[in-house]
Amino acid sequence: MKQFLSQPWAGCFSLMLLVTASGCKTLLPSQVTPIYVAGLTFQNVANSDALNVKLRVLTTNGQVACNKIEVNSTCGTGFPAKYYQAGELELSWQMAGRSYAEHFVIPIPTDAEKNQRYTAVVLFTNNGQYDVRLTKNNIL
């Protein structure tokens, strides 16, 4: 192994590996083009009700909450459009006697349109699983 590292091409290989790995980094919120978000919808497709659902923006402490989202139901709200720039969010809820809390960033679609309004959608599934995405609003 020591001989392998002393080969002249080993340095090139290490540099190539470093460049490849650094190319996979995620963008910081300040590097993301902001988009308009004008609503939030929680959808429950799990086999249990979702209780005490809260989504909080960590930087501003703004939050949206729904007390109970029955099976195969939704809870949502619209609000004046706000710029979203891939900031960190906190989602908490209870389901089937268990409490959950997650921190995440909603990925902004690569084909996002700057002046288009979007709705954030949180989809609850079974076993504390969820999915988050942005969908285009039909009305501007």
Side-chain angles (χ1 to χ4, degrees), residues 32-80:
V32 174
T33 301
I35 61 170
Y36 283 117
V37 175
L40 171 69
T41 300
F42 295 113
Q43 294 180 323
N44 183 9
V45 296
N47 55 17
S48 297
D49 294 345
L51 305 171
N52 302 317
V53 178
K54 293 180 191 166
L55 182 67
R56 184 172 67 96
V57 179
L58 295 180
T59 56
T60 65
N61 265 339
Q63 73 176 19
V64 175
C66 293
N67 291 332
K68 181 178 182 179
I69 308 169
E70 295 177 343
V71 174
N72 295 320
S73 295
T74 62
C75 176
T77 185
F79 45 80

Side-chain angles (χ1 to χ4, degrees), residues 6-136:
S6 66
Q7 297 295 326
W9 51 270
C12 292
F13 177 75
S14 299
L15 181 60
M16 183 179 73
L17 184 62
L18 177 64
V19 168
T20 301
S22 66
C24 296
K25 69 181 179 179
T26 58
L27 295 176
L28 299 173
S30 62
Q31 297 170 313
V32 174
T33 301
I35 61 170
Y36 283 117
V37 175
L40 171 69
T41 300
F42 295 113
Q43 294 180 323
N44 183 9
V45 296
N47 55 17
S48 297
D49 294 345
L51 305 171
N52 302 317
V53 178
K54 293 180 191 166
L55 182 67
R56 184 172 67 96
V57 179
L58 295 180
T59 56
T60 65
N61 265 339
Q63 73 176 19
V64 175
C66 293
N67 291 332
K68 181 178 182 179
I69 308 169
E70 295 177 343
V71 174
N72 295 320
S73 295
T74 62
C75 176
T77 185
F79 45 80
K82 306 267 186 205
Y83 270 122
Y84 177 69
Q85 199 168 354
E88 191 172 4
L89 305 168
E90 178 184 64
L91 176 67
S92 61
W93 74 102
Q94 296 169 337
M95 187 175 281
R98 295 193 60 198
S99 295
Y100 300 93
E102 299 284 337
H103 286 223
F104 62 91
V105 172
I106 302 173
I108 294 177
T110 56
D111 62 346
E113 299 170 31
K114 186 174 183 178
N115 294 319
Q116 172 70 46
R117 292 175 191 247
Y118 290 84
T119 296
V121 178
V122 178
L123 179 71
F124 293 105
T125 58
N126 290 316
N127 302 317
Q129 300 295 310
Y130 68 97
D131 184 42
V132 181
R133 63 187 176 278
L134 293 168
T135 61
K136 286 183 181 180

